[in-house]
Amino acid sequence: MNIVVCVKQVPDTTTERKLKSSDSTLDREAVDGLMNELCEYAIEEGLRIKEAHGGEVTVLTMGPGAATDTIRKALSMGADKAVHLSDDALHGSDALQTSYAIQQVLGRTGFDLVILGSESTDARTGVLAAMLAERLGVSQVTLANKVEIDGSTIRIQRQTDYGFDRVEASLPAVVSVVEKINEPRYPSFKGIMAAKKKPVDSPSLVDIGIDASKVGLAAAATEVVDFAEAPPRAKGQIVTDEGDGGTKAAEFLASKKFV
């Protein structure tokens, strides 16, 4: 089975993230980058499917040169090879353009199953899986907390507010997964050493057949009109318990419409 897992390098969520004043895009150089957490679950699920049904796992990422760290981590977890699409012309691409670029890469690599995390911690749009499936003309099965493959059929449990739905589709397909689907493995020392010898393809836009005029900030369908830094967090209100602490706390919560 040809399994492709899409991964993304994102800014560390424990640090302060800022937008550039020059073009209103995320300043990725100002903070350390790391693999999007939900991508780890996608990789793990791809590896488990490979172990159960055979085939290989290809990691695909679109991002700057620093994203090689994320690729190496994925390879050290057990992925077989990687594709890194990196070009200055891609800077500022929105979700629509990203889905277009990834579609073009998948047309080159081929696939039976494409796996993604349900969202990224930097954009949090959660729309890429659906956009990608539409562009590829294949089924989408999203928000999976369990995946089963039976021949050419994929069955998932789709997480919902009330429990889960059972969804079934035919391969090839695009599936997005949530964090409850598995427990990602840690890269072993052997895996880290083996990752250094695994192939990483770094094609150009021309190699892939991507029209540079359709990607990048100037051609984006969405834009940041304005932004401002978040104000400093205000001091909290201290409630002194003088025998009526419960009443004061309840009144405070009521004033904020929490009760």
Side-chain angles (χ1 to χ4, degrees):
M1 179 175 290
N2 186 358
I3 304 165
V4 180
V5 181
C6 297
V7 301
K8 185 178 184 181
Q9 177 149 313
V10 297
D12 188 345
T13 56
T14 63
T15 59
E16 184 179 358
R17 291 161 290 176
K18 296 182 178 181
L19 299 183
K20 295 180 181 179
S21 58
S22 58
D23 59 10
S24 300
T25 61
L26 187 64
D27 188 352
R28 298 183 180 277
E29 296 179 359
V31 296
D32 292 333
L34 43 73
M35 182 188 292
N36 179 52
E37 182 181 359
L38 279 164
C39 292
E40 296 187 26
Y41 297 91
I43 294 168
E44 176 64 28
E45 196 61 25
L47 295 174
R48 293 188 183 195
I49 292 172
K50 170 194 168 181
E51 290 164 357
H53 302 280
E56 63 178 8
V57 174
T58 301
V59 172
L60 166 58
T61 192
M62 171 179 149
T68 53
D69 292 340
T70 287
I71 290 174
R72 289 302 173 190
K73 180 175 182 179
L75 293 175
S76 66
M77 289 175 68
D80 300 286
K81 57 184 180 179
V83 178
H84 184 188
L85 183 61
S86 181
D87 193 292
D88 290 342
L90 295 167
H91 172 71
S93 294
D94 60 13
L96 281 166
Q97 296 165 313
T98 299
S99 65
Y100 159 68
I102 292 178
Q103 173 209 12
Q104 296 297 103
V105 177
L106 290 170
R108 185 175 186 237
T109 63
F111 66 95
D112 296 308
L113 183 64
V114 180
I115 309 176
L116 305 87
S118 57
E119 64 179 1
S120 61
T121 56
D122 54 354
R124 308 203 84 99
T125 59
V127 298
L128 188 59
M131 288 182 174
L132 192 54
E134 177 68 20
R135 289 189 182 277
L136 293 168
V138 300
S139 301
Q140 59 161 309
V141 282
T142 55
L143 303 177
N145 62 26
K146 183 178 181 180
V147 175
E148 296 177 341
I149 304 292
D150 183 7
S152 60
T153 300
I154 178 172
R155 298 185 182 91
I156 73 161
Q157 287 185 174
R158 186 178 193 271
Q159 182 171 293
T160 66
D161 293 336
Y162 49 81
F164 63 85
D165 294 326
R166 295 187 186 277
V167 183
E168 180 177 309
S170 297
L171 297 176
V174 175
V175 57
S176 67
V177 302
V178 297
E179 70 277 7
K180 293 182 179 180
I181 192 167
N182 57 46
E183 184 65 33
R185 66 193 68 185
Y186 288 101
S188 64
F189 177 76
K190 182 179 179 181
I192 293 171
M193 297 305 294
K196 297 179 180 180
K197 299 180 180 180
K198 293 180 178 179
V200 179
D201 186 15
S202 302
S204 66
L205 297 191
V206 175
D207 293 334
I208 299 298
I210 295 174
D211 184 347
S213 68
K214 293 183 178 181
V215 296
L217 187 62
T222 58
E223 67 173 326
V224 176
V225 177
D226 193 17
F227 68 91
E229 292 188 15
R233 181 176 293 182
K235 292 183 178 180
Q237 180 176 334
I238 299 174
V239 176
T240 302
D241 186 2
E242 297 175 340
D244 58 351
T247 301
K248 289 180 179 178
E251 290 174 347
F252 173 76
L253 292 173
S255 70
K256 301 299 182 180
K257 298 182 179 180
F258 290 133
V259 295

